[in-house]
Amino acid sequence: MRLVIARCSVDYAGRLTAHLPSAPRLILVKADGSVSIHADDRAYKPLNWMSPPCTLKEGAGEEEGVWTVVNKAGEKLIITMEEVLHDSSHELGVDPGLIKDGVEAHLQELLADRIETLGEGYTLIRREYMTAIGPVDILCRDADGQTVAVEIKRRGEIDGVEQLTRYLELLNRDPHLAPVRGIFAAQEIKPQARVLASDRGIGCQVLDYDALRGIEDDKLRLF
């Protein structure tokens, strides 16, 4: 990971246009190719970013200090450096991923045993399908034979969608599996996570823990 702290301005040209005026900011360049620009607030959310796959070109000569990031859709993120205050690179290695609590681990086991919960005709390939950046909770096929990667959380938030996005990027490079689509499954899915998942073409599935365990709801129901 490369960390750059610089006074810079940022312009985005794509489906929309956006401009960030000159200010000190943190720029993260990750090993997966993603580039994100951060301010000293807003928690984890960047001011602007470019998701992989994308390319970063650092200008030379008259263009020195201008970074141009282009994604596969041709959208551009142009970062104009005025003063670089810090520039360092660090090798983080392979991340083991988020450690699941007992409920999440049990949800994974239950869903693998009842894979038809995702839809008629679904079949299990395997649990804990290993990738270079960690294991995918469940890999399965739908009724049409398409590969589906499932990420399971107790509470579905944005970081879980980001995690599944990284898995899908890797899985879709494997010609024996591609095309691979994703399902984000959780007992509760936050609205922001649902919006991000929809934007990335990822389906959402709310899981009923008791139903998966075969426990009937004893509350009165109106039919």
Side-chain angles (χ1 to χ4, degrees), residues 124-142:
L124 179 69
I125 297 176
R126 67 168 297 168
R127 290 172 52 197
E128 299 286 331
Y129 185 90
M130 186 57 65
T131 73
I133 59 173
V136 176
D137 288 335
I138 290 178
L139 199 67
C140 57
R141 296 192 189 279
D142 63 17

Side-chain angles (χ1 to χ4, degrees), residues 5 7 14 27 33 41 43 50 78 89 96 108 112 158 166 182 185 199:
I5 299 175
R7 179 173 292 277
I27 304 167
D41 61 4
M50 193 69 82
I78 301 170
S89 297
Q108 181 193 115
I158 285 177
R166 294 192 294 271
D199 183 66

Side-chain angles (χ1 to χ4, degrees), residues 27-63:
I27 304 167
L28 297 182
V29 183
K30 295 186 179 180
D32 63 3
S34 64
V35 178
S36 57
I37 297 99
H38 300 259
D40 201 11
D41 61 4
R42 299 164 60 93
Y44 57 84
K45 188 175 181 179
L47 296 166
N48 214 326
W49 68 94
M50 193 69 82
S51 300
C54 57
T55 58
L56 167 61
K57 180 181 178 181
E58 297 185 43
E62 294 183 359
E63 294 294 317

Side-chain angles (χ1 to χ4, degrees), residues 35-93:
V35 178
S36 57
I37 297 99
H38 300 259
D40 201 11
D41 61 4
R42 299 164 60 93
Y44 57 84
K45 188 175 181 179
L47 296 166
N48 214 326
W49 68 94
M50 193 69 82
S51 300
C54 57
T55 58
L56 167 61
K57 180 181 178 181
E58 297 185 43
E62 294 183 359
E63 294 294 317
E64 185 175 2
V66 178
W67 289 13
T68 303
V69 187
V70 184
N71 66 12
K72 63 181 180 180
E75 298 168 319
K76 293 183 179 181
L77 193 63
I78 301 170
I79 307 169
T80 303
M81 308 285 190
E82 298 171 14
E83 181 184 9
V84 176
L85 306 172
H86 176 84
D87 189 345
S88 64
S89 297
H90 308 270
E91 180 59 53
L92 302 184

